[in-house]
Amino acid sequence: EMGRWRFWTGADWARPADAAAVVCEGVTDEVSIHHDSRRWVMVHMEPNLGRRIMVRTAPELAGPWSDPRTIYECPEPAGADHLMVYAARAHPELSPGGSGPLIVTYAVNSTDFWHMLSHADLYRIRFLRVPASLLAGP
């Protein structure tokens, strides 16, 4: 029921949507956010189809969020202008006991339909094990 939705104003929860405050800038439209027992963790791609997977942390869901830190640079677009990487997401549910490395996925695709069609292995999810040391921070 959208009529029951509330939006963070920077000080409180309220209606309507145009009262919403910006919580974090420079974030793509596909992110994952989870709590790791100490803080909130956001994983997202670098904006504008960038190659880097970024992490931010915050003490509260509404922030303040840290500056982005690179945890991985995707190799696929290097030397191939028609390749793009996107949709980075963390999967804490796949991490052993929640204390091991964080599993992160991202997707690769081509802007050239015929290239994608002739390379069936291209359009699939990639998996990463991100060491906890790379997630350290505020």
Side-chain angles (χ1 to χ4, degrees):
E1 294 180 45
M2 291 179 60
R4 297 180 61 173
W5 286 20
R6 301 292 183 268
F7 302 89
W8 182 247
T9 65
D12 200 1
W13 296 92
R15 284 187 292 192
D18 61 3
V22 173
V23 175
C24 192
E25 302 232 15
V27 177
T28 58
D29 59 351
E30 294 187 69
V31 303
S32 64
I33 298 175
H34 69 278
H35 197 269
D36 74 355
S37 80
R38 304 189 292 127
R39 72 231 161 137
W40 291 94
V41 179
M42 177 191 303
V43 173
H44 64 90
M45 293 300 299
E46 181 178 30
N48 302 316
L49 295 175
R51 296 175 51 181
R52 299 182 303 160
I53 297 176
M54 316 301 284
V55 66
R56 297 171 187 248
T57 57
E60 300 291 333
L61 188 54
W65 287 93
S66 67
D67 290 335
R69 289 176 288 131
T70 301
I71 57 173
Y72 187 73
E73 188 163 333
C74 305
E76 291 82 4
D81 292 339
H82 56 278
L83 294 182
M84 61 183 171
V85 291
Y86 61 100
R89 291 192 175 89
H91 300 276
E93 70 279 5
L94 300 177
S95 297
S99 61
L102 181 63
I103 303 300
V104 173
T105 59
Y106 68 97
V108 178
N109 208 337
S110 178
T111 59
D112 178 343
F113 176 78
W114 299 111
H115 177 259
M116 181 187 63
L117 197 59
S118 63
H119 293 83
D121 63 334
L122 179 64
Y123 184 55
R124 63 179 173 81
I125 300 299
R126 273 50 171 194
F127 287 80
L128 307 170
R129 284 186 181 96
V130 178
S133 61
L134 287 180
L135 302 172

